[in-house]
Amino acid sequence: MERRGLATPPYSASAAAEWLQSEYRISPANAHALVEHFALQAEISRIPTGEFFLVEHHAQRGLVHYFFHSLIGRSANDALSRMIAQRVHETKGGNALTTIDDYGFLLTMKPFQAMSAAEWRALFRRAGAEDALREALRESNLVKWQFRGVAQTGLMVPRRVRGEERGARALQFSSEIIFEVLRKHEPDHPLLLEAYADATLRFLDLPRALAFLERVAQLPWDFRELNRVSPFGFGMYVSRIRETMTLEDPETTIERLYHEMYGK
C-alpha cells in the first residue's frame, strides 16, 4: 500500500525502489527504506529540491524550531546559519541555537523571537552578509583558534623564549590576549583580518553561502507549520537534543522519539 504523497503512477513505490537499486547498487531493503522515508516526508511536509526553498516551523515546549532546507553542504550551511542567527539577534534580540547539517540547518529560538515567512525572507538578503558573518564570529572560538596559528606565523607569539620551547597553554594564553586587544582596539589589523579570512574560507564555505543568498531571493518559498518534525528535519532535531540525553542510551532515545513522531 502506497503512502499519500508518493509520486503517482507510473512512478510507483516498487518502481522507485527498483530504480534506486539499479542506479545506486543498493540492497532491496535499503531501497524500500529510502522510498518509505521520502514518502513519509511528502506526507508530512514536502520533499525539498533546488527549485524552491522549504522552511518548516514546529513549536514545542516553549521553543520554536525553524528547519531551513538549503541543500548547500555542511560548511556552507555553517556560514549561512551564523549569518541568519546574527540577524535574528539584531532583529528580535536574544540568541538562536544553531544546528547544521549537510542539507540544511535548524534554528531553535524562544517564542518571542518567532517570525513570519516575510520576516524570514528579509533576513536572507545578500546585502551585508559578510558583515553579519564577521559580527557573528566576533565571539567565536573558531577565529580565536585560527588566530593562534596566524599570530605564530606573523611572529607576534614566539614559539621559543630564551632558547626554550613554550608550552601549548602558554602559546594559547598569549595569542588570546593579543586577539582580544586587536579585536577591541585595532579590528582592521592585517593578522586579525587574515584569521577571519582563514576561518571563513577554510572552515566555512562562504562563497557558496553567498551564492545561495543571491539565488534564494529569486526562488519561491514554501513555509510550512508542522505539528511534528518532518523526517528530513529529524536528523537536525536529534543532533540538537543529543547532548541532553544522559538518562538512557542515545540510540534508544532516538529510536523512541522516531516511533513517537511517526507511529512506526
Side-chain angles (χ1 to χ4, degrees), residues 30-197:
N30 286 336
H32 284 286
L34 281 172
V35 170
E36 286 293 302
H37 187 63
F38 273 72
L40 185 57
Q41 173 69 22
E43 179 179 300
I44 293 174
S45 178
R46 186 180 179 186
I47 297 173
T49 73
E51 302 301 316
F52 65 96
F53 187 31
L54 176 63
V55 181
E56 297 170 338
H57 169 223
H58 173 61
Q60 180 189 51
R61 299 173 185 173
L63 295 173
V64 288
H65 306 289
Y66 291 95
F67 298 85
F68 300 91
H69 298 270
S70 40
L71 311 178
I72 56 175
R74 181 175 294 269
S75 57
N77 280 323
D78 194 353
L80 182 61
S81 66
R82 291 172 189 263
M83 296 175 196
I84 303 305
Q86 175 62 31
R87 287 174 168 173
V88 169
H89 172 72
E90 295 170 356
T91 303
K92 294 287 186 174
N95 296 311
L97 178 64
T98 63
T99 306
I100 61 170
D101 186 79
D102 290 341
Y103 307 106
F105 64 95
L106 161 65
L107 292 185
T108 301
M109 310 184 306
K110 294 294 186 180
F112 77 87
Q113 297 171 297
M115 285 184 276
S116 66
E119 289 176 305
W120 280 116
R121 289 191 73 118
L123 297 193
F124 278 76
R125 62 186 181 277
R126 170 62 180 84
E130 294 94 338
D131 293 337
L133 180 59
R134 182 182 176 87
E135 187 63 27
L137 291 173
R138 280 174 58 87
E139 303 297 332
S140 169
N141 285 329
L142 181 61
V143 176
K144 289 183 181 180
W145 293 334
Q146 196 61 27
F147 181 78
R148 176 178 170 181
V150 171
Q152 290 180 28
T153 302
L155 303 180
M156 295 186 76
V157 179
R159 295 185 179 92
R160 301 176 65 88
V161 174
R162 299 184 184 91
E164 296 184 1
E165 288 283 344
R166 302 179 68 193
R169 182 171 296 181
L171 291 172
Q172 180 180 352
F173 180 73
S174 297
S175 64
E176 286 186 359
I177 290 177
I178 296 173
F179 175 82
E180 291 299 333
V181 170
L182 293 179
R183 186 172 66 86
K184 293 178 181 178
H185 303 290
E186 199 173 345
D188 293 327
H189 191 281
L191 292 184
L192 188 59
L193 295 179
E194 181 67 19
Y196 277 106

Side-chain angles (χ1 to χ4, degrees), residues 148 202 241:
R148 176 178 170 181
R202 181 177 300 181
I241 65 174

